[in-house]
Amino acid sequence: MTNLELLTAADVRLMQGLAQRVTATRPDLVNADAAFGELAWNWGKGHAADGATWPRRLWFSDGDLIAWAWAHLPRRVRLSDGSVKDVTGAHLVYQVHPDHAGLVDEVIDWYDGTAAGLERTVVPGAADAFALERWAAHGYGTDPSSLGDTGSWTLLNERDLTDLERPVLPDGFRFRTADEVGPQAAVRAHLDAWAPSAYTIESYRGVRDTEAYRGDLHVLVEAPDGTLASSTIMWLDEANRTAQFEPVGTHRDHRRRGLARAMLLHGMHLARAAGATHMTVACLGAPGHPRARGLYHGVGFREFTRDAPLVKTAG
């Protein structure tokens, strides 16, 4: 790691700028985890704990960022239930501007050099035929974990923000924002939905400190007893007038009561009021993962594009 440059907050802002430029012309080519909101969320929640294992490389042309690669190298992850998970392989997130598609070969070479000797995964977009050909030429094939009814591939869904239903909550429940409930409660809401999780108060501070975060677009549902039963963050890309839900979660004791549906509808009204005309949300796409997909499609989202997980064995 001594000869590698690590990802910084300034890098992430540049990467978000590239995401905005690609979204404006070829949104189907925005790679998994490389969207405007995903970059802020993943950087914010993880950099304090994992940033020392995040090397990156940036490519520029005439002062503009035209490609980037962000590797996640082996690390130990401590979860909220006290358990420890050892990540032994490498994973790459990347983006190449479509006008400079040939740079994908340099991205691949950099990744293979950076993660040499490790199993290496990457998730190009299924719509990026050129990139898929180049990854295959470098020895990457379909990741077996993405196959079958319970595969791990991700589906990106979209809808416009016209003709929005009004949200309806059960009696006694109400909408709140992270600005209102404070950091400790916002973190507790996330953990109640996703436990065991590596999310901590430090993770939330990192998320909150990203330039893209807005506490008024971090929405929660409060139960009559004060429990924060559901939560989501919306990431507003003002340049493209689009917003993304990431993450979306509901407390295990409050599921199947319509809370997430109401929260998503309420969130879309807030996003529209903030200037968005379009919304996206990602979920697992395989048939064996119907719940989130059904939720999103039930509030008007439809499939837009998907990713294509690839893997290369150690060596």
Side-chain angles (χ1 to χ4, degrees), residues 41-117:
W41 167 247
N42 288 329
W43 160 260
K45 69 184 175 72
H47 74 87
D50 300 329
T53 62
W54 285 354
R56 61 77 167 150
R57 183 175 172 187
L58 310 178
W59 287 260
F60 293 88
S61 177
D62 296 326
D64 292 327
L65 183 68
I66 56 173
W68 56 264
W70 169 11
H72 299 238
L73 297 181
R75 61 202 180 278
R76 172 162 286 189
V77 180
R78 298 187 181 280
L79 302 176
S80 55
D81 63 356
S83 64
V84 174
K85 177 182 178 182
D86 287 317
V87 179
T88 59
H91 180 70
L92 182 75
V93 183
Y94 80 99
Q95 185 69 64
V96 176
H97 192 286
D99 291 346
H100 302 272
L103 283 175
V104 71
D105 283 297
E106 292 190 32
V107 168
I108 298 169
D109 288 341
W110 177 84
Y111 183 37
D112 281 343
T114 300

Side-chain angles (χ1 to χ4, degrees), residues 6-7 10 31 72-73 97 99 129 142 146 167 171 177 182-183 203 236 246 248 251 263 277 282 287 292 310 312:
L6 298 178
L7 189 71
N31 289 326
H72 299 238
L73 297 181
H97 192 286
D99 291 346
T142 300
S146 70
D171 290 345
T177 69
S203 302
L236 178 65
E246 177 59 31
V248 179
H251 192 297
M263 180 178 66
T277 61
L310 304 176
K312 187 175 183 178

Side-chain angles (χ1 to χ4, degrees), residues 113-130:
T114 300
L118 301 172
E119 180 178 87
R120 306 188 278 287
T121 59
V122 65
V123 188
D128 196 345
F130 177 78

Side-chain angles (χ1 to χ4, degrees), residues 22-48:
V22 178
T23 296
T25 57
R26 286 294 306 276
D28 57 319
L29 296 184
V30 178
N31 289 326
D33 291 331
F36 180 84
E38 289 280 357
L39 286 167
W41 167 247
N42 288 329
W43 160 260
K45 69 184 175 72
H47 74 87

Side-chain angles (χ1 to χ4, degrees), residues 153-224:
W153 58 273
T154 300
L155 179 68
L156 182 64
N157 307 280
E158 65 171 358
R159 65 156 293 170
D160 63 38
L161 294 181
T162 59
D163 301 321
L164 289 174
E165 295 178 50
R166 300 304 308 180
V168 178
L169 284 172
D171 290 345
F173 288 79
R174 61 173 176 160
F175 295 116
R176 304 293 302 276
T177 69
D179 283 346
E180 295 169 342
V181 304
Q184 295 287 349
V187 171
R188 183 73 261 161
H190 182 90
L191 292 176
D192 284 342
W194 295 100
S197 168
Y199 203 61
T200 64
I201 191 68
E202 189 174 38
S203 302
Y204 176 59
R205 290 193 187 103
V207 170
R208 192 176 56 186
D209 288 345
T210 62
E211 288 190 354
Y213 177 80
R214 286 177 48 169
D216 63 326
L217 295 180
H218 184 168
V219 178
L220 307 98
V221 176
E222 185 180 79

